[in-house]
Amino acid sequence: MIQEPVPMLLGRVLLRAVRAHAALEGRCHLPPSLHVGIPGADVRSLELDTGEGLDLALRTEMLEAMTRAHLAQSVVPLVWLTRHPEGPDLEDLAWAAAAGQAGAELGVRLDLVVVTRRSWRDPRSGVGRSWTRLRQP
């Protein structure tokens, strides 16, 4: 769970995730997707079907599988969902619970954030940032 004050390096990584999502999405609405990795570097992504009704065990297994390659390289990845701002909050919490469970089983802390075109937010703590206009680096 991300708490205030957000470490500067983590804040930069999350801003990079927001910028990347905004650049990909443009004016169209992409389907919700799960991402594991380091934004702007090695990322594994999976498009989600919100009608699938995945349970905690399956979500946890999916996250563990997506995370193992990073952990094998001694890198603890970030987990994030990209979606339209008016997406389902319950789905966010379900994935956050799975990230917590997967992290516990793998022996690491996995943070999950929800990323939209203009913001990021930790669904468990409510900590996040939003921008009205993003500047490219």
Side-chain angles (χ1 to χ4, degrees):
M1 183 167 16
I2 298 173
Q3 299 289 326
E4 293 287 2
V6 176
M8 187 171 55
L9 182 58
L10 178 59
R12 287 181 183 166
V13 169
L14 292 168
L15 176 56
R16 188 180 315 148
V18 172
R19 284 180 173 146
H21 180 60
L24 278 177
E25 190 173 57
R27 294 191 179 266
C28 65
H29 297 296
L30 297 175
S33 297
L34 176 69
H35 309 274
V36 175
I38 307 301
D42 184 21
V43 176
R44 294 172 184 257
S45 300
L46 176 67
E47 188 175 304
L48 301 173
D49 180 359
T50 55
E52 282 184 357
L54 303 173
D55 65 5
L56 178 62
L58 188 53
R59 289 173 201 258
T60 301
E61 285 183 37
M62 292 167 68
L63 281 167
E64 286 179 10
M66 293 174 78
T67 303
R68 280 198 173 92
H70 295 285
L71 294 177
Q73 298 173 3
S74 300
V75 174
V76 177
L78 181 69
V79 179
W80 71 100
L81 295 171
T82 53
R83 64 169 175 76
H84 188 63
E86 288 82 37
D89 287 332
L90 291 178
E91 194 74 9
D92 300 346
L93 292 172
W95 281 107
Q101 182 68 31
E105 290 178 11
L106 294 168
V108 296
R109 177 182 149 188
L110 290 179
D111 289 321
L112 176 131
V113 296
V114 177
V115 172
T116 67
R117 290 177 52 205
R118 301 276 186 255
S119 68
W120 67 263
R121 181 182 56 83
D122 181 328
R124 294 175 288 183
S125 67
V127 172
R129 302 287 184 271
S130 62
W131 297 267
T132 54
R133 190 175 80 184
L134 286 174
R135 297 172 201 254
Q136 292 302 320

